[in-house]
Amino acid sequence: MTGAPTRRTPGTPCWVSLMVHSLSTTQDFYGALFGWTFSPGPQQLGPYVRAYLDNRVVAGIGELPRGRHLPVAWTTYMASDDADATAEQIRACGGTVGVGPLDAGEAGRLVIASDTTGAVFGVWQGGEHLSAELSGEPGTPVWNELLTQDTSTVAKFYAAVFGYDTESVLPAGLDDLTLHLEGRPVAAIHGVGNGLRRDRGPHWMTYFAVEDTDAAARRVAELGGRVVRPPWDASMGRLATVEDPEGAVFTIVAVAR
């Protein structure tokens, strides 16, 4: 568990946000699922709220402009000390900068980009707002993983941009890599070959902690979401992949208390 935010090592996932068509409906869903409360955040990109748990900020949700029929998905943001320099490095390594760099009020400076396979991610240079203030508790993001066709090429991109060291995941035969900074695992790349949904393509997956994976998966369905992959046991715990009523996919994992 983490408390008050501190500066994150550049490249560390530090924030997750979601852009949706109906902000109020989405707030109702995540409020009921995770116990989040909400307050207004920076409005530079339109209506936006910060999600809180125990009065500490854990995520952000914004509303897309009317008529913008973009895919709804959680975005993982990597910490940066200089968003402009990181944007230039993304371009130099073959990625694409779609939004920014731009200021989000006094909160910080952001970039939204895509890697060499098209997977979207964000870059966050913290100002008044450095990062999520709580992690490891039910209702908070606890892990981020890139799902892609294969890990070899895209891993080189992320290593060049953010300085990750990569480590293959055992057992042998899995196309999985763990991304390390300063000797600590911070994220992963999961190669799934042709196993990606055709309507999704490569994408970053956010993992949220819950007390009981099976109960949380049932609750998702009760609230109008959908269970994409029913609960299963893995090395990090009991997982389920679900989506909210607008189709944003995320994974839930039970955490030990």
Side-chain angles (χ1 to χ4, degrees), residues 205-208 210 213-214 216-218 227-233 237-243 250-254:
M205 176 75 75
T206 301
Y207 286 64
F208 289 96
V210 295
T213 301
D214 296 73
R218 291 191 296 269
V227 178
V228 176
R229 182 178 177 185
W232 80 97
D233 292 317
R238 189 158 175 80
L239 311 175
T241 301
V242 299
E243 65 181 24
F250 57 99
T251 294
I252 51 178
V253 55

Side-chain angles (χ1 to χ4, degrees), residues 15-75:
W15 184 244
V16 295
S17 72
L18 177 65
M19 297 296 291
V20 300
H21 299 288
S22 174
L23 189 56
S24 61
T25 300
T26 302
Q27 287 178 249
D28 289 343
F29 173 83
Y30 287 100
L33 180 63
F34 292 141
W36 289 352
T37 58
F38 303 91
S39 69
Q43 306 292 303
Q44 276 75 10
L45 297 179
Y48 186 87
V49 296
R50 289 174 178 159
Y52 290 80
L53 192 66
D54 297 331
N55 295 317
R56 286 180 280 186
V57 66
V58 295
I61 304 174
E63 189 167 72
L64 291 163
R66 291 180 182 271
R68 293 292 299 275
H69 301 293
L70 299 173
V72 174
W74 282 98
T75 299

Side-chain angles (χ1 to χ4, degrees), residues 150-241:
D150 67 88
T151 65
S152 57
T153 301
V154 76
K156 294 176 183 177
F157 167 83
Y158 285 100
V161 173
F162 295 112
Y164 297 130
D165 294 317
T166 61
E167 179 183 6
S168 297
V169 176
L170 297 175
L174 291 178
D175 187 20
D176 289 358
L177 294 173
T178 303
L179 304 178
H180 293 253
L181 286 172
E182 300 176 343
R184 182 174 63 90
V186 296
I189 304 178
H190 179 40
V192 296
N194 295 321
L196 286 171
R197 285 170 48 177
R198 291 186 178 181
D199 61 334
R200 293 279 303 171
H203 60 280
W204 280 89
M205 176 75 75
T206 301
Y207 286 64
F208 289 96
V210 295
E211 291 186 357
D212 183 320
T213 301
D214 296 73
R218 291 191 296 269
R219 185 65 172 146
V220 165
E222 293 168 358
L223 294 169
R226 186 173 72 91
V227 178
V228 176
R229 182 178 177 185
W232 80 97
D233 292 317
S235 58
M236 70 181 299
R238 189 158 175 80
L239 311 175
T241 301

Side-chain angles (χ1 to χ4, degrees), residues 138-154:
T140 67
V142 292
W143 188 242
N144 294 272
E145 181 177 79
L146 174 64
L147 303 180
T148 189
Q149 282 94 347
D150 67 88
T151 65
S152 57
T153 301
V154 76

